[in-house]
Amino acid sequence: MSEFFKRIFGTTSGSAEITLFSIWHILWVVIIIGLSFGGYFFLRNKSERAKTVSLSVLAYLVIGTYVLDFFIMPFSQGKIDIDKLPFHICTLTGIFIPFVQFNDRFKPIKSVICCFAIVSSLMYVTYPGSALGGVTPWCYKVIQTFVYHGLMFAWGFLSVSLKAVSFNFREIWKEAVGIVILIAWAFFGNYAYGGIPEGHHYDWFFITGSTFPFIPPWLMPFVVFAAVYGMCVLIYLIDYVVKRVAQKKGEKNDVLRIA
């Protein structure tokens, strides 16, 4: 039985290989963005119940895809990959998505988790480091990571576009606090698990400097903060512009109807 699962979920190589900005990489990005926008156009005129159910299903799928991966890793990699513990922004955000979706006690941070879901998934699909090189675009390792980040992006994007979450510039300080907490949490993970297995080094949230050796290690936490917070501000700006354009379009249509 184990050999059967190894053949299904094993990492495979072949003539087709996924590399940075190759046709396969671009295809995955197009699928993720396309399905997310398609979901919006399909749901925008549906009932509030239909929208809520759709977002709830996505929340279940995000956490389900993350947890299930730990059970499949022994077949795909021969071990459980400690690097996938929730010390990265994308893995920790994925865990929080069900909490903010289903528990009103987490409502004060729902916009933060939504913004992090969009930002972290976009950053990953732009440079999907763990899915590049030496493997086919359709092996489990590639499919799982793109599906996970794709579901997370879809949940965040649809939460905003379907108005289940609203971004407010007066509360964007929450994202700054959230990033600081993430950096502190990643510091704990990097040093608590450093050397497990023997001699292994982790760079969760890229704050140790080993992933980007051309940047001084002491500077990396500040670089990460600036990069992620800058992306959050950009998402807020895009949301603001889209809302303003929609508002002006609505006002213009109202004037035409009155005339």
Side-chain angles (χ1 to χ4, degrees), residues 59-60 63 92-110 113 155:
Y60 279 125
I63 192 65
L92 189 60
T93 297
I95 288 176
F96 268 95
I97 284 176
F99 288 95
V100 299
Q101 179 65 33
F102 301 114
N103 194 328
D104 287 339
R105 292 181 180 179
F106 291 87
K107 190 174 181 180
I109 64 167
K110 190 171 185 178
I113 299 303
W155 178 85

Side-chain angles (χ1 to χ4, degrees), residues 89 93 109-122 155-157 159-160 165 167 172 175 179 228-229 231-236:
I89 183 173
T93 297
I109 64 167
K110 190 171 185 178
S111 61
V112 178
I113 299 303
C114 182
C115 187
F116 285 172
I118 297 171
V119 167
S120 62
S121 56
L122 285 177
W155 178 85
F157 170 76
S159 292
V160 177
V165 171
F167 291 147
I172 199 172
E175 274 77 359
I179 296 168
V228 177
Y229 193 59
M231 282 289 292
C232 291
V233 172
L234 179 60
I235 295 300
Y236 268 64

Side-chain angles (χ1 to χ4, degrees), residues 124-185:
Y124 181 83
V125 299
T126 300
Y127 183 78
S130 61
L132 296 175
V135 292
T136 61
W138 48 80
C139 71
Y140 170 79
K141 178 182 178 181
V142 174
I143 293 174
Q144 190 279 333
T145 191
F146 274 109
V147 167
Y148 173 76
H149 289 89
L151 290 169
M152 189 160 58
F153 174 79
W155 178 85
F157 170 76
L158 290 174
S159 292
V160 177
S161 60
L162 297 176
K163 300 179 181 178
V165 171
S166 179
F167 291 147
N168 186 340
F169 265 107
R170 284 178 290 185
E171 295 186 348
I172 199 172
W173 58 268
K174 291 182 180 180
E175 274 77 359
V177 174
I179 296 168
V180 171
I181 293 173
L182 283 168
I183 290 174
W185 178 240

Side-chain angles (χ1 to χ4, degrees), residues 62-73:
V62 169
I63 192 65
T65 303
Y66 177 70
V67 172
L68 183 63
D69 188 38
F70 283 93
F71 291 89
I72 296 178
M73 282 182 209

Side-chain angles (χ1 to χ4, degrees), residues 160 167-169 233-248:
V160 177
F167 291 147
N168 186 340
F169 265 107
V233 172
L234 179 60
I235 295 300
Y236 268 64
L237 282 171
I238 293 172
D239 176 67
Y240 175 78
V241 170
V242 170
K243 285 179 179 176
R244 290 292 295 172
V245 170
Q247 181 182 3
K248 287 185 178 297

